[in-house]
Amino acid sequence: MELSPFMKELGLKYPIFQGGMAWVADGKLAAAVSNAGGLGIIGSGNAPGSVVADEIESAKSLTKKPFGVNVMLLSPYADEVVKVILANKDSVAVVTTGAGNPAKYIEKLKDAGIKVIPVVGSVALARMMERVGVDAVVAEGMESGGHIGKLTTMALVPQVVDAVKIPVIAAGGIGDGRGMAAAFMLGAEGVQMGTRFLVATESKIHPNYKKAVLRAKDASTLVTGEYAGHPSRVLKNKMAKTYIGIEKEEALKPHPDYDKLEELGTGSLRRAVIEGDSETGSFMAGEIAGMVKKEQPAAEILAEVYSQADKLLNGER
Ligand SMILES: Cc1cc2nc3c(=O)[nH]c(=O)nc-3n(C[C@H](O)[C@H](O)[C@H](O)COP(=O)(O)O)c2cc1C
């Protein structure tokens, strides 16, 4: 498979990004992916700048390869995280953004030589991002783990590819080389995977969370927050069922009150990742969790996915 000029410019061996997952994707996971030839991305989530600075230091100590940082635009710390990234412009090659419009940061990041790649869930947002000058977009379908949009990867990716001239990276529901090859057939020039990397050997998530992903089947996820805002795909567990129960009950009321959901949801990803608590933790994962059957080093995941996709795209079975 010939790498696109954009992927070559990023210095990658494999056109595979590891999604910048909040709480999960630390400097160690990102460095492992980057060392192996993919693009490792640190997830900053709602973390303050100082925490992100520590993770960048950790990645810098473990790899000389390019890596990225994901900025969650809804975070109250987004401004200070961007400052930390700018202070580390020599090592942070890429910024991906989630949950919003990164327009106000684009000029500074680009002036610093950092590529800006927002995650989009619609053609309209992809077009808007192209207009404000981003370098590429990640088109993410609702099969993915974490916060999701409304369209599927299969429908979204080719429509985004047709709508913009900048490179498109496909995400959502890509778990092996078949998914990667399919994304390339849809016009993507790279893929981003999150769920498969949850169980990488270098991923720090609690063993209970890893076990839950490894045991998942095709229908093991559900979407919380469909009524209350910020839909999110998680593995079915007690927490998810309680959340959805309250959400549906409130939605039927003339004046729904979603405040108690705010309480329930706050810190729930941390409780999953750090404590492995399935009673109160949100085990975010995508629909392909049912295909993820073993814990492997990140390098092995990348090589396996890439070589399978490469064969398929060369017409081999
Ligand atoms: C636990 C978890 C946390 C995530 N957190 C973020 C985040 O903070 N910002 C973001 O842009 N995407 C986030 N994502 C999405 C991933 O970066 C990636 O795009 C997605 O997982 C791809 O779909 P897949 O899960 O089907 O591989 C998260 C995904 C998971 C599973």
Side-chain angles (χ1 to χ4, degrees):
M1 176 192 315
E2 176 75 8
L3 254 63
S4 70
F6 184 69
M7 293 296 155
K8 281 188 190 152
E9 204 186 326
L10 290 179
L12 303 183
K13 176 176 172 199
Y14 305 123
I16 302 175
F17 294 8
Q18 158 259 307
M21 298 173 276
W23 283 103
V24 177
D26 56 8
K28 184 178 161 206
L29 178 64
V33 171
S34 288
N35 275 333
L39 184 74
I41 303 177
I42 294 168
S44 62
N46 280 318
S50 58
V51 171
V52 180
D54 288 348
E55 293 307 329
I56 292 176
E57 279 312 311
S58 148
K60 277 193 333 198
S61 72
L62 296 167
T63 186
K64 294 285 160 271
K65 294 276 176 65
F67 62 88
V69 178
N70 176 262
V71 180
M72 227 268 287
L73 297 163
L74 280 177
S75 162
Y77 301 108
D79 284 352
E80 60 177 71
V81 168
V82 171
K83 271 194 199 134
V84 167
I85 292 169
L86 289 169
N88 285 281
K89 63 180 181 187
D90 294 337
S91 49
V92 179
V94 168
V95 161
T96 61
T97 62
N101 183 344
K104 70 169 177 169
Y105 302 123
I106 289 177
E107 204 180 315
K108 277 193 186 142
L109 289 168
K110 290 190 69 162
D111 284 351
I114 298 170
K115 303 265 186 248
V116 184
I117 312 182
V119 178
V120 302
S122 71
V123 164
L125 190 55
R127 281 211 176 103
M128 194 198 294
M129 292 298 97
E130 184 176 45
R131 275 201 300 274
V132 296
V134 303
D135 297 281
V137 288
V138 174
E140 186 192 70
M142 51 83 85
E143 299 93 323
S144 86
H147 294 293
I148 57 167
K150 288 212 179 309
L151 298 175
T152 60
T153 302
M154 181 74 107
L156 175 69
V157 172
Q159 295 188 70
V160 171
V161 167
D162 287 348
V164 298
K165 292 195 178 66
I166 49 177
V168 177
I169 293 106
I174 299 165
D176 66 8
R178 292 172 297 179
M180 181 172 172
F184 274 60
M185 297 306 282
L186 297 174
E189 53 185 76
V191 295
Q192 170 161 294
M193 301 193 305
T195 299
R196 178 103 189 238
F197 285 113
L198 283 174
V199 300
T201 315
E202 299 86 349
S203 152
K204 68 166 189 193
I205 66 171
H206 193 279
N208 292 351
Y209 193 167
K210 277 196 185 171
K211 257 187 244 156
V213 175
L214 293 169
R215 281 195 195 132
K217 299 197 169 54
D218 57 347
S220 293
T221 69
L222 46 74
V223 179
T224 58
E226 271 188 304
Y227 300 96
H230 304 305
S232 193
R233 186 174 298 285
V234 299
L235 292 175
K236 284 178 194 163
N237 63 7
K238 177 138 188 260
M239 163 69 183
K241 285 177 194 156
T242 310
Y243 192 102
I244 286 197
I246 298 174
E247 194 178 5
K248 287 195 171 152
E249 206 178 282
E250 286 300 322
L252 292 172
K253 295 183 182 167
H255 302 290
D257 173 10
Y258 295 120
D259 283 357
K260 40 189 154 177
L261 289 178
E262 189 77 29
E263 257 166 60
L264 203 62
T266 303
S268 63
L269 182 58
R270 187 193 61 77
R271 292 192 291 274
V273 173
I274 309 293
E275 293 161 24
D277 181 355
S278 68
E279 305 263 313
T280 67
S282 289
F283 289 15
M284 288 181 170
E287 289 182 336
I288 49 98
M291 247 165 53
V292 179
K293 291 291 166 228
K294 62 176 175 190
E295 183 171 356
Q296 288 169 290
E300 213 174 283
I301 296 176
L302 290 164
E304 213 175 88
V305 171
Y306 178 82
S307 74
Q308 190 185 20
D310 194 40
K311 280 195 189 122
L312 289 169
L313 291 167
N314 282 325
E316 294 168 41
R317 284 268 143 195

